[in-house]
C-alpha cells in the first residue's frame, strides 16, 4: 500500500489565531458549550481524520485580559466527545509535572475504555512559571530535571497499564471468578520521584495503553520523544528545517532500538483557506488587524524570557538571553529568535507572524494550494502527516475537511474511510502486549 498521510486536528477554543474570538466568523460563547466541541469531533470524523487533540496548561497565565482561555480539562472534554463519535482518535495533554502517575494512568485507561480504544496522551513537562506557582514551586522548574521526572513518570504509567494482562478478566459468573489474579501484577516501582505498588484499579483497556504523543524539540526533548513517542508534534517553518528534524528524530528512535516507522512526525500548519489566494490572504489580514499588541507583547515576553511589554513596536527585538538560560520552551525560543533575525523583523511584524499559531507556520491559499503544500512536505521527507491548526472554529476546520481532504483523497494521499477501530490502528501501530505477558515461545524456551 502506498504511504498515506496522518492528519490530526489540533483544536483550540474558537481557533488558534490569537484574535479568533473577536472575528465575526466565531462565537466566543462556544468556549463553554460542550456541543461546539462535540460538533468539531464529528466534523473531524467526517473528514476521516486520525485524531483530534487539545493542548493544556495548569494556570491562567498572562493572556486573560485580551484573549480567551481553554476552559475545560481535556480528558473530561474528550470523554464527552467520545460519546458522539465512533472512530476519531482523542488526544489529551496531561503533565508529568505536578500529578502522580497512578492518577494519570487511571484517567487515560478510563478514556480508552469509554471511547473503545481511541485515547492518546500528549506528554508535557509543564515549563511555565505560572503553572509552578499553583503547585508550590517557585520559578521555572529546571529543564533537565523536568525531563528526568517525565522519563520515570512514563515508565511508571506504562507499567501500570501493563499491570493487567490482556486476558486477566475472566468474567465467569458460574464459578464466581471475575479476574485471574495470576495475570494482575504489582509493579513495585521505587524510584527517584515515585514509589508505586500497583496494580492499577482499572483493568486493561482496548488499546492496552494510549497512543503516546510528545512535542519537545530541544536536545533532551528529541531524545525523550525518540524513546517513547508514537506521534510527535513539532513547529517547523521550512521544508529544510522539517527534513532535518525528521531525519534527526527518526535516527534517534533507531538508536533507542525502535523502527523509524513507529514514530510519526506531524509538523503544525495554520491554514487560511479562500476561494482565491488573494481572498485567503485578505482573510488572514482581517485576523492580523484584530491582534491586541498588549497581549502579543506579553506572550512574546514569555516565549523569549525578556520583558518586552514596554518595548517599541516598530523597533527590532532587543538583545536576548543565551539559550542556556532558557528553562522554559527552548525550541520555541530558538524558532522565534531565528525568525526575527533572518527576516529582520520589527516587533510589530514579528507579532503579526506569530498571531496565527504562536510560531507554527501559517499558510494562506486555495484548498488546492494547501493540498500541494502538504504533499510537498510529505514527499520531501519532512512529515508523516500534519497537525492541522484551524485559525478559527468551526469554519476553519469545515473548510479543511470539505475542501482540502477530498483533494488529498483523490490524490491517494489520505484514507477515504477508516480501516481500523483504534487510534493506534489509525496511526498504523500494532497492539502491544503487556510486559508481564509471557509468550508461548518464551515459555517453551
Ligand atoms: C503542537 C504543540 C503542542 C504543545 N502543547 C503543549 C501543551 O498543551 N502544554 C504544554 O505545557 N506544552 C505544550 N507544548 C510544548 C512542548 O510540550 C514542549 O514543552 C516544548 O515543545 C518545549 O520543549 P523543549 O524545551 O524540549 O524544546 C506543545 C508543543 C507543540 C509543538
Amino acid at each position: 500500500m502506498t504511504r498515506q498521510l496522518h492528519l490530526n486536528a489540533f483544536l483550540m477554543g474558537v481557533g488558534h489565531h490569537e484574535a479568533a474570538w473577536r472575528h465575526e466568523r466565531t462565537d466566543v460563547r462556544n468556549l463553554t458549550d460542550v456541543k461546539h466541541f462535540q460538533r468539531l469531533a464529528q466534523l473531524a470524523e467526517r473528514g476521516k481524520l486520525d485524531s483530534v487533540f487539545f493542548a493544556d496548561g495548569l494556570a491562567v497565565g498572562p493572556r486573560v485580559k485580551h484573549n480567551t482561555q481553554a476552559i475545560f480539562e481535556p480528558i473530561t472534554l474528550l470523554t464527552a466527545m467520545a460519546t458522539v463519535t465512533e472512530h476519531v482518535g482523542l488526544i489529551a495533554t496531561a503533565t508529568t509535572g505536578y500529578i502522580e502517575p497512578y492518577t494519570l494512568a487511571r484517567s487515560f485507561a478510563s478514556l480508552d475504555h469509554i471511547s473503545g480504544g481511541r485515547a492518546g496522551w500528549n506528554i508535557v513537562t509543564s515549563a511555565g512559571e505560572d503553572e509552578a506557582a499553583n503547585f508550590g514551586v517557585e520559578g521555572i522548574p529546571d529543564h533537565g530535571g523536568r525531563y528526568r521526572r517525565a522519563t520515570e513518570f512514563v515508565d511508571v504509567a506504562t507499567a501500570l497499564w501493563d499491570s493487567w494482562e490482556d486476558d486477566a478478566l475472566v468474567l465467569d459468573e458460574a464459578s464466581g471468578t471475575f479476574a485471574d489474579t495470576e495475570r494482575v501484577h504489582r509493579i513495585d516501582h521505587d524510584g527517584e520521584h515515585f514509589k508505586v505498588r500497583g496494580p492499577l484499579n482499572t483493568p486493561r483497556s482496548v488499546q492496552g495503553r494510549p497512543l503516546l504523543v510528545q512535542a519537545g524539540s530541544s536536545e533532551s526533548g528529541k531524545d525523550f520523544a525518540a524513546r517513547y513517542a508514537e506521534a510527535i508534534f513539532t513547529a517547523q517553518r521550512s521544508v529544510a528545517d522539517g527534513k532535518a528534524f525528521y531525519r534527526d528524530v527518526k535516527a534517534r528512535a533507531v538508536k533507542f532500538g525502535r523502527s523509524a516507522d513507529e514514530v510519526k512526525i506531524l509538523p503544525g500548519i495554520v491554514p487560511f483557506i479562500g476561494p482565491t489566494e488573494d481572498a485567503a490572504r485578505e482573510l488572514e489580514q482581517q485576523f492580523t488587524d484584530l491582534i491586541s499588541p498588549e497581549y502579543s507583547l506579553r506572550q512574546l515576553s514569555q516565549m523569549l524570557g525578556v520583558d518586552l511589554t514596554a518595548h517599541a513596536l516598530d523597533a527590532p527585538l532587543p538583545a536576548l538571553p543565551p539559550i542556556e538560560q532558557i528553562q522554559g520552551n527552548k525550541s520555541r525560543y530558538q524558532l522565534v529568535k531565528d525568525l526575527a533575525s533572518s527576516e529582520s523583523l520589527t516587533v510589530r511584524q514579528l507579532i503579526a507572524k506569530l498571531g496565527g499559531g504562536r510560531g507554527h507556520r501559517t499558510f494562506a491559499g486555495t484548498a488546492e494550494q494547501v493540498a500541494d503544500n502538504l504533499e510537498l512536505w510529505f514527499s520531501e521527507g519532512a512529515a508523516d502527516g500534519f497537525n492541522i491548526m484551524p485559525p478559527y472554529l468551526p469554519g476553519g476546520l469545515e473548510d479543511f475537511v470539505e475542501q482540502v481532504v477530498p483533494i488529498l483523497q483523490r490524490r491517494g494521499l489520505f484514507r477515504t474511510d477508516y480501516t481500523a477501530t483504534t487510534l493506534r490502528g489509525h496511526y498504523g501501530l500494532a497492539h502491544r502486549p503487556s510486559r508481564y505477558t509471557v509468550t508461548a515461545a518464551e515459555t517453551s524456551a
Side-chain angles (χ1 to χ4, degrees):
M1 208 182 98
T2 50
R3 194 172 150 246
Q4 289 196 319
L5 289 164
H6 296 285
L7 295 176
N8 171 69
F10 179 177
L11 304 176
M12 187 165 278
V14 290
H16 275 274
H17 195 283
E18 65 190 45
W21 68 284
R22 301 179 65 197
H23 195 276
E24 64 190 7
R25 292 196 184 189
T26 64
D27 179 351
V28 71
R29 287 166 302 185
N30 278 336
L31 284 173
T32 49
D33 185 353
V34 69
K35 290 198 174 61
H36 164 68
F37 295 100
Q38 289 176 321
R39 281 193 290 264
L40 292 176
Q42 289 168 327
L43 185 56
E45 187 158 284
R46 205 161 76 224
K48 317 294 178 201
L49 267 51
D50 293 61
S51 45
V52 296
F53 155 65
F54 288 110
D56 197 36
L58 296 172
V60 160
R63 52 171 60 189
V64 72
K65 181 169 178 194
H66 293 294
N67 205 344
T68 55
Q69 297 285 294
I71 312 273
F72 297 132
E73 185 283 312
I75 298 179
T76 313
L77 183 52
L78 287 167
T79 303
M81 290 157 75
T83 62
V84 297
T85 51
E86 282 179 17
H87 295 282
V88 72
L90 308 159
I91 304 175
T93 295
T95 186
T96 56
Y98 304 110
I99 57 168
E100 288 282 324
Y102 195 94
T103 316
L104 175 134
R106 188 176 189 215
S107 302
F108 277 95
S110 303
L111 177 61
D112 204 48
H113 275 291
I114 290 167
S115 63
R118 295 186 280 143
W121 173 27
N122 176 39
I123 308 164
V124 302
T125 61
S126 294
E129 194 169 356
D130 295 323
E131 297 178 283
N134 288 335
F135 294 89
V137 178
E138 260 178 51
I140 301 179
D142 150 72
H143 193 264
R146 290 202 321 270
Y147 276 111
R148 276 196 303 284
R149 181 181 160 108
T151 302
E152 189 182 339
F153 194 115
V154 175
D155 287 339
V156 176
T158 53
L160 285 168
W161 288 315
D162 281 350
S163 65
W164 290 69
E165 294 184 48
D166 279 312
D167 48 4
L169 281 186
V170 179
L171 306 180
D172 184 353
E173 293 166 26
S175 67
T177 310
F178 177 69
D180 175 356
T181 47
E182 294 287 306
R183 297 183 194 279
V184 183
H185 305 269
R186 291 163 65 134
I187 68 164
D188 290 320
H189 176 88
D190 190 357
E192 184 189 346
H193 305 89
F194 309 109
K195 191 167 178 185
V196 185
R197 190 197 63 189
L200 192 63
N201 57 345
T202 307
R204 194 160 174 83
S205 64
V206 180
Q207 295 185 109
R209 60 159 77 171
L211 180 86
L212 300 183
V213 182
Q214 216 266 335
S217 296
S218 63
E219 290 306 305
S220 3
K222 281 188 282 198
D223 272 341
F224 183 86
R227 189 163 162 189
Y228 295 110
E230 294 158 319
I232 297 181
F233 297 151
T234 181
Q236 303 293 332
R237 295 193 65 88
S238 68
V239 180
D241 288 351
K243 277 166 81 168
F245 179 84
Y246 187 96
R247 275 200 299 263
D248 181 0
V249 174
K250 297 262 178 175
R252 287 177 201 239
V254 171
K255 262 202 258 159
F256 281 109
R258 306 177 66 201
S259 113
D261 206 38
E262 270 173 58
V263 184
K264 310 292 182 197
I265 297 183
L266 312 182
I269 177 169
V270 183
F272 282 94
I273 303 163
T276 63
E277 187 177 331
D278 281 350
R281 286 188 191 286
E282 145 69 9
L283 182 64
E284 183 179 6
Q285 188 59 46
Q286 286 175 17
F287 282 79
T288 303
D289 292 344
L290 292 172
I291 283 179
S292 150
E294 190 185 328
Y295 165 78
S296 308
L297 288 174
R298 275 174 166 268
Q299 168 122 311
L300 193 59
S301 305
Q302 203 180 40
M303 281 176 173
L304 296 177
V306 279
D307 184 0
L308 295 167
T309 49
H311 194 76
L313 284 170
D314 293 309
L317 283 176
L320 298 177
I323 192 158
E324 296 73 35
Q325 277 179 28
I326 301 296
Q327 293 301 326
N329 186 332
K330 282 186 192 277
S331 44
R332 199 62 62 88
Y333 162 91
Q334 194 65 50
L335 181 149
V336 174
K337 185 178 174 185
D338 292 348
L339 171 66
S341 65
S342 65
E343 299 185 24
S344 305
L345 301 176
T346 63
V347 169
R348 191 189 300 278
Q349 291 164 331
L350 181 62
I351 61 181
K353 285 205 182 261
L354 296 175
R358 304 166 304 284
H360 287 270
R361 69 193 181 104
T362 51
F363 184 95
T366 62
E368 201 77 30
Q369 287 172 317
V370 174
D372 288 347
N373 186 269
L374 300 185
E375 184 169 359
L376 175 75
W377 279 58
F378 184 56
S379 60
E380 286 283 317
D384 293 311
F386 294 92
N387 203 11
I388 306 300
M389 302 168 56
Y392 61 97
L393 288 168
L397 184 61
E398 259 159 26
D399 288 351
F400 187 84
V401 162
E402 283 162 14
Q403 299 176 39
V404 181
V405 167
I407 300 172
L408 297 172
Q409 288 170 329
R410 276 200 296 279
R411 294 182 190 178
L413 290 168
F414 193 57
R415 67 174 71 85
T416 50
D417 207 350
Y418 289 105
T419 53
T421 53
T422 64
L423 174 55
R424 302 182 69 78
H426 300 334
Y427 279 92
L429 298 162
H431 178 77
R432 295 173 66 114
S434 158
R435 72 193 63 184
Y436 298 104
T437 300
V438 181
T439 62
E442 284 170 77
T443 321
S444 59

